[in-house]
Amino acid sequence: GNATFVHAVFFRKNGEAYADDLTIIFRMSENGVRHILEMLTEFELVSGLSINKSKTQLLVAGTEQWLVGEKIHDIEVVEKVKILGITIDRKLDKIMDNWEEAITKMRRYAYYWTTFGLSITGRVMVTKTYIMSQVIYLMGMLSMSEEIGLRINEIMINFVKGHGRLIERRRQLLCAELGGYGIMDANIMNLSMKTAWIERWKRDSEKADYPAMILWNGNAERRVWKLRKDNLEGKGLRGMEDILSAWEKFRRCYAEL
């Protein structure tokens, strides 16, 4: 199988396997790489399964001690890796390029489905089933700017309109129950997916040391879960910061409901 070794300062040594792909997160050291390879060798003796070193990569983040192209115990240090469809570079400078790739796929699907002569209802169903699904996966783990959300909305709205058809602006992103076309607003979808993590962290914090705590807002029936900012400072955890920002926005928008 293939393996990816990822050095990360804020994670304990851990391993996740999917089919024949193995991702190991650990605190980087040459001894650490050697120790992992020894464990994999022992696993090979027991199971008969071995890693393909020519396809195994080492992503080192947070230090320049090991340079791209260098080999540690015959494992090459690389600039970026792709894990479950997400491209991650060592400095996270190009992490947002994943959105551009997804938007390109959205345009391809939209172009493909324009050839079928669908009604407006059919086009809306296609946006929800095939077009929007290209970015929902990313929303669960990556920050998304409002500008990207507007671009996603534009692709879906233009697809539903088609050529020579006009639809009222105020009804474009309005739900069908209120007389709209039912096109999903990408920014609202992103907001809802980010805030969903708050409930999950609240649940998991009872079992593990997660950076979550329960705050009461004065009403026994309404609890507010919030990330502790002191656990985020100086760590550059963009995903958590994005979730915290989304949660604060959600509270402002819906506090009175």
Side-chain angles (χ1 to χ4, degrees), residues 50-64:
S50 63
I51 66 168
N52 186 340
K53 283 193 175 183
S54 66
K55 293 184 178 181
T56 299
Q57 301 171 316
L58 177 62
L59 179 70
V60 182
T63 177
E64 297 294 335

PDB file of all heavy atoms in Angstrom, residues 50-64:
ATOM      1  N   SER A  50       3.113  -5.022   2.738  1.00  0.00           N
ATOM      2  CA  SER A  50       4.215  -4.070   2.908  1.00  0.00           C
ATOM      3  C   SER A  50       3.875  -2.759   2.218  1.00  0.00           C
ATOM      4  O   SER A  50       3.027  -2.709   1.323  1.00  0.00           O
ATOM      5  CB  SER A  50       5.510  -4.643   2.325  1.00  0.00           C
ATOM      6  OG  SER A  50       5.372  -4.837   0.923  1.00  0.00           O
ATOM      7  N   ILE A  51       4.557  -1.682   2.631  1.00  0.00           N
ATOM      8  CA  ILE A  51       4.344  -0.390   1.992  1.00  0.00           C
ATOM      9  C   ILE A  51       5.233  -0.289   0.747  1.00  0.00           C
ATOM     10  O   ILE A  51       6.275  -0.941   0.661  1.00  0.00           O
ATOM     11  CB  ILE A  51       4.650   0.787   2.946  1.00  0.00           C
ATOM     12  CG1 ILE A  51       6.147   0.838   3.294  1.00  0.00           C
ATOM     13  CG2 ILE A  51       3.786   0.739   4.178  1.00  0.00           C
ATOM     14  CD1 ILE A  51       6.554   2.130   3.977  1.00  0.00           C
ATOM     15  N   ASN A  52       4.794   0.523  -0.181  1.00  0.00           N
ATOM     16  CA  ASN A  52       5.568   0.811  -1.388  1.00  0.00           C
ATOM     17  C   ASN A  52       6.359   2.090  -1.126  1.00  0.00           C
ATOM     18  O   ASN A  52       5.802   3.186  -1.155  1.00  0.00           O
ATOM     19  CB  ASN A  52       4.626   0.988  -2.580  1.00  0.00           C
ATOM     20  CG  ASN A  52       5.386   1.144  -3.896  1.00  0.00           C
ATOM     21  OD1 ASN A  52       6.563   1.490  -3.908  1.00  0.00           O
ATOM     22  ND2 ASN A  52       4.695   0.893  -4.995  1.00  0.00           N
ATOM     23  N   LYS A  53       7.645   1.960  -0.854  1.00  0.00           N
ATOM     24  CA  LYS A  53       8.447   3.133  -0.484  1.00  0.00           C
ATOM     25  C   LYS A  53       8.519   4.173  -1.590  1.00  0.00           C
ATOM     26  O   LYS A  53       8.641   5.368  -1.321  1.00  0.00           O
ATOM     27  CB  LYS A  53       9.861   2.703  -0.076  1.00  0.00           C
ATOM     28  CG  LYS A  53       9.953   2.116   1.323  1.00  0.00           C
ATOM     29  CD  LYS A  53      11.397   2.019   1.779  1.00  0.00           C
ATOM     30  CE  LYS A  53      11.486   1.552   3.220  1.00  0.00           C
ATOM     31  NZ  LYS A  53      12.886   1.521   3.704  1.00  0.00           N
ATOM     32  N   SER A  54       8.427   3.722  -2.838  1.00  0.00           N
ATOM     33  CA  SER A  54       8.493   4.684  -3.950  1.00  0.00           C
ATOM     34  C   SER A  54       7.260   5.581  -3.993  1.00  0.00           C
ATOM     35  O   SER A  54       7.281   6.655  -4.582  1.00  0.00           O
ATOM     36  CB  SER A  54       8.644   3.940  -5.281  1.00  0.00           C
ATOM     37  OG  SER A  54       7.491   3.172  -5.572  1.00  0.00           O
ATOM     38  N   LYS A  55       6.164   5.143  -3.357  1.00  0.00           N
ATOM     39  CA  LYS A  55       4.933   5.942  -3.320  1.00  0.00           C
ATOM     40  C   LYS A  55       4.678   6.539  -1.941  1.00  0.00           C
ATOM     41  O   LYS A  55       3.647   7.157  -1.720  1.00  0.00           O
ATOM     42  CB  LYS A  55       3.738   5.085  -3.736  1.00  0.00           C
ATOM     43  CG  LYS A  55       3.774   4.646  -5.191  1.00  0.00           C
ATOM     44  CD  LYS A  55       2.506   3.885  -5.552  1.00  0.00           C
ATOM     45  CE  LYS A  55       2.497   3.484  -7.018  1.00  0.00           C
ATOM     46  NZ  LYS A  55       1.255   2.751  -7.377  1.00  0.00           N
ATOM     47  N   THR A  56       5.617   6.329  -1.028  1.00  0.00           N
ATOM     48  CA  THR A  56       5.476   6.850   0.329  1.00  0.00           C
ATOM     49  C   THR A  56       6.112   8.237   0.418  1.00  0.00           C
ATOM     50  O   THR A  56       7.202   8.454  -0.091  1.00  0.00           O
ATOM     51  CB  THR A  56       6.130   5.896   1.342  1.00  0.00           C
ATOM     52  OG1 THR A  56       5.475   4.632   1.270  1.00  0.00           O
ATOM     53  CG2 THR A  56       6.022   6.439   2.753  1.00  0.00           C
ATOM     54  N   GLN A  57       5.395   9.159   1.058  1.00  0.00           N
ATOM     55  CA  GLN A  57       5.855  10.549   1.124  1.00  0.00           C
ATOM     56  C   GLN A  57       5.908  11.032   2.567  1.00  0.00           C
ATOM     57  O   GLN A  57       5.182  10.538   3.431  1.00  0.00           O
ATOM     58  CB  GLN A  57       4.910  11.450   0.318  1.00  0.00           C
ATOM     59  CG  GLN A  57       4.805  11.071  -1.151  1.00  0.00           C
ATOM     60  CD  GLN A  57       3.701  11.836  -1.855  1.00  0.00           C
ATOM     61  OE1 GLN A  57       2.594  11.998  -1.335  1.00  0.00           O
ATOM     62  NE2 GLN A  57       4.000  12.333  -3.046  1.00  0.00           N
ATOM     63  N   LEU A  58       6.764  12.026   2.798  1.00  0.00           N
ATOM     64  CA  LEU A  58       6.902  12.618   4.125  1.00  0.00           C
ATOM     65  C   LEU A  58       6.672  14.120   4.022  1.00  0.00           C
ATOM     66  O   LEU A  58       7.434  14.828   3.361  1.00  0.00           O
ATOM     67  CB  LEU A  58       8.299  12.325   4.685  1.00  0.00           C
ATOM     68  CG  LEU A  58       8.648  12.933   6.046  1.00  0.00           C
ATOM     69  CD1 LEU A  58       7.716  12.387   7.121  1.00  0.00           C
ATOM     70  CD2 LEU A  58      10.101  12.624   6.410  1.00  0.00           C
ATOM     71  N   LEU A  59       5.602  14.600   4.625  1.00  0.00           N
ATOM     72  CA  LEU A  59       5.295  16.033   4.652  1.00  0.00           C
ATOM     73  C   LEU A  59       5.713  16.594   6.002  1.00  0.00           C
ATOM     74  O   LEU A  59       5.197  16.169   7.037  1.00  0.00           O
ATOM     75  CB  LEU A  59       3.801  16.261   4.421  1.00  0.00           C
ATOM     76  CG  LEU A  59       3.337  17.725   4.439  1.00  0.00           C
ATOM     77  CD1 LEU A  59       3.841  18.467   3.205  1.00  0.00           C
ATOM     78  CD2 LEU A  59       1.815  17.807   4.520  1.00  0.00           C
ATOM     79  N   VAL A  60       6.645  17.536   6.009  1.00  0.00           N
ATOM     80  CA  VAL A  60       7.163  18.125   7.250  1.00  0.00           C
ATOM     81  C   VAL A  60       6.680  19.562   7.350  1.00  0.00           C
ATOM     82  O   VAL A  60       6.980  20.393   6.487  1.00  0.00           O
ATOM     83  CB  VAL A  60       8.701  18.076   7.294  1.00  0.00           C
ATOM     84  CG1 VAL A  60       9.200  18.654   8.614  1.00  0.00           C
ATOM     85  CG2 VAL A  60       9.199  16.649   7.107  1.00  0.00           C
ATOM     86  N   ALA A  61       5.914  19.878   8.398  1.00  0.00           N
ATOM     87  CA  ALA A  61       5.367  21.224   8.583  1.00  0.00           C
ATOM     88  C   ALA A  61       5.906  21.845   9.864  1.00  0.00           C
ATOM     89  O   ALA A  61       6.200  21.150  10.833  1.00  0.00           O
ATOM     90  CB  ALA A  61       3.837  21.160   8.631  1.00  0.00           C
ATOM     91  N   GLY A  62       6.049  23.160   9.842  1.00  0.00           N
ATOM     92  CA  GLY A  62       6.436  23.887  11.050  1.00  0.00           C
ATOM     93  C   GLY A  62       7.930  23.983  11.293  1.00  0.00           C
ATOM     94  O   GLY A  62       8.352  24.516  12.325  1.00  0.00           O
ATOM     95  N   THR A  63       8.755  23.491  10.391  1.00  0.00           N
ATOM     96  CA  THR A  63      10.210  23.576  10.547  1.00  0.00           C
ATOM     97  C   THR A  63      10.873  23.476   9.175  1.00  0.00           C
ATOM     98  O   THR A  63      10.318  22.879   8.256  1.00  0.00           O
ATOM     99  CB  THR A  63      10.733  22.445  11.457  1.00  0.00           C
ATOM    100  OG1 THR A  63      12.163  22.524  11.537  1.00  0.00           O
ATOM    101  CG2 THR A  63      10.350  21.093  10.917  1.00  0.00           C
ATOM    102  N   GLU A  64      12.038  24.091   9.061  1.00  0.00           N
ATOM    103  CA  GLU A  64      12.821  24.024   7.817  1.00  0.00           C
ATOM    104  C   GLU A  64      14.037  23.107   7.979  1.00  0.00           C
ATOM    105  O   GLU A  64      14.935  23.123   7.149  1.00  0.00           O
ATOM    106  CB  GLU A  64      13.283  25.429   7.417  1.00  0.00           C
ATOM    107  CG  GLU A  64      12.147  26.397   7.099  1.00  0.00           C
ATOM    108  CD  GLU A  64      11.374  25.984   5.862  1.00  0.00           C
ATOM    109  OE1 GLU A  64      11.947  25.291   5.001  1.00  0.00           O
ATOM    110  OE2 GLU A  64      10.185  26.344   5.754  1.00  0.00           O
TER     111      GLU A  64
END
